[in-house]
Amino acid sequence: ILNVEQSPQSLHVQEGDSTNFTCSFPSSNFYALHWYRWETAKSPEALFVMTLNGDEKKKGRISATLNTKEGYSYLYIKGSQPEDSATYLCALYSGGSNYKLTFGKGTLLTVNP
Amino acid sequence: DTEVTQTPKHLVMGMTNKKSLKCEQHMGHRAMYWYKQKAKKPPELMFVYSYEKLSINESVPSRFSPECPNSSLLNLHLHALQPEDSALYLCASRPGSLSTDTQYFGPGTRLTVL
């Protein structure tokens, strides 16, 4: 059973703060790591798919890094805004033709105005 | 059309009822997924359909019966459920066969079993 861990479980920041959180995963049989942003009552929205060790991806104020050797990925949000409030999920793809994803529990981010 | 739709949004059913959840996508994706998510837990995979054929059943009890009538539609038939089956049921689809292909999710059906 794969274990994908996310920390912290929840986070409260003030508007304008920068923040980051972690996704840890087994480094063996790594194929890809997915990050999703999930606002309440909406569909989870794909942010990044990362495959290469040392990769860094950016989308606006959100960026992510990947270390496949040690089995972790960081998600950074620069200058948090209230609309960034959401649960951020990471999911590991570790091979197989059905592209099964194993999800972490998520980090719930609340940005206070 | 780049979305996955799910109906109904909410469903309350008794343990003797039969109901169905519906998922639809018109993006031409050939893989579709059912996940179950309970509060404070990660989404857990239930079923995968690939090219309209069931390719993964994650040891899901037979009271959940998936069906893929065509490439755009995925149903989940529910019968004789238990209160512990109350959860958010998410549907997703994936375009192709690359490891970098993302899964596109619907907003889910919130199911309550009384």
Side-chain angles (χ1 to χ4, degrees), chain A residues 36 38 43 46 98-100 104, chain B residues 33 42 55 58 94 97 103 106-107:
Chain A
Y36 286 87
W38 193 3
S43 306
N98 288 296
Y99 301 93
K100 175 181 172 179
Chain B
Y33 301 73
S55 57
E58 292 282 283
R94 183 175 53 79
S97 56
Q103 290 185 20

Side-chain angles (χ1 to χ4, degrees), chain B residues 1-75:
Chain B
D1 186 354
T2 57
E3 63 172 1
V4 177
T5 58
Q6 289 188 243
T7 53
K9 286 196 167 117
H10 300 273
L11 178 63
V12 180
M13 60 187 290
M15 288 190 283
T16 57
N17 292 157
K18 281 187 183 181
K19 296 284 183 185
S20 296
L21 310 185
K22 180 178 168 181
C23 172
E24 205 159 359
Q25 56 88 13
H26 296 286
M27 295 178 277
H29 294 176
R30 301 314 294 266
M32 294 184 78
Y33 301 73
W34 279 116
Y35 290 87
K36 172 182 177 179
Q37 197 214 14
K38 294 190 76 94
K40 300 192 188 301
K41 295 278 177 97
E44 290 182 3
L45 183 66
M46 300 174 72
F47 301 106
V48 181
Y49 271 82
S50 181
Y51 291 87
E52 296 148 57
K53 288 186 171 24
L54 183 65
S55 57
I56 292 183
N57 175 341
E58 292 282 283
S59 303
V60 179
S62 60
R63 56 186 185 268
F64 295 91
S65 174
E67 180 199 16
C68 189
N70 59 59
S71 59
S72 300
L73 190 54
L74 185 66
N75 297 321

Side-chain angles (χ1 to χ4, degrees), chain A residues 31 81 90 100:
Chain A
Y31 278 74
Q81 300 296 308
C90 67
K100 175 181 172 179

Side-chain angles (χ1 to χ4, degrees), chain A residues 71-89:
Chain A
Y72 64 84
S73 175
Y74 293 138
L75 190 81
Y76 300 90
I77 303 179
K78 188 176 173 183
S80 304
Q81 300 296 308
E83 57 265 31
D84 296 327
S85 297
T87 296
Y88 291 83
L89 286 169

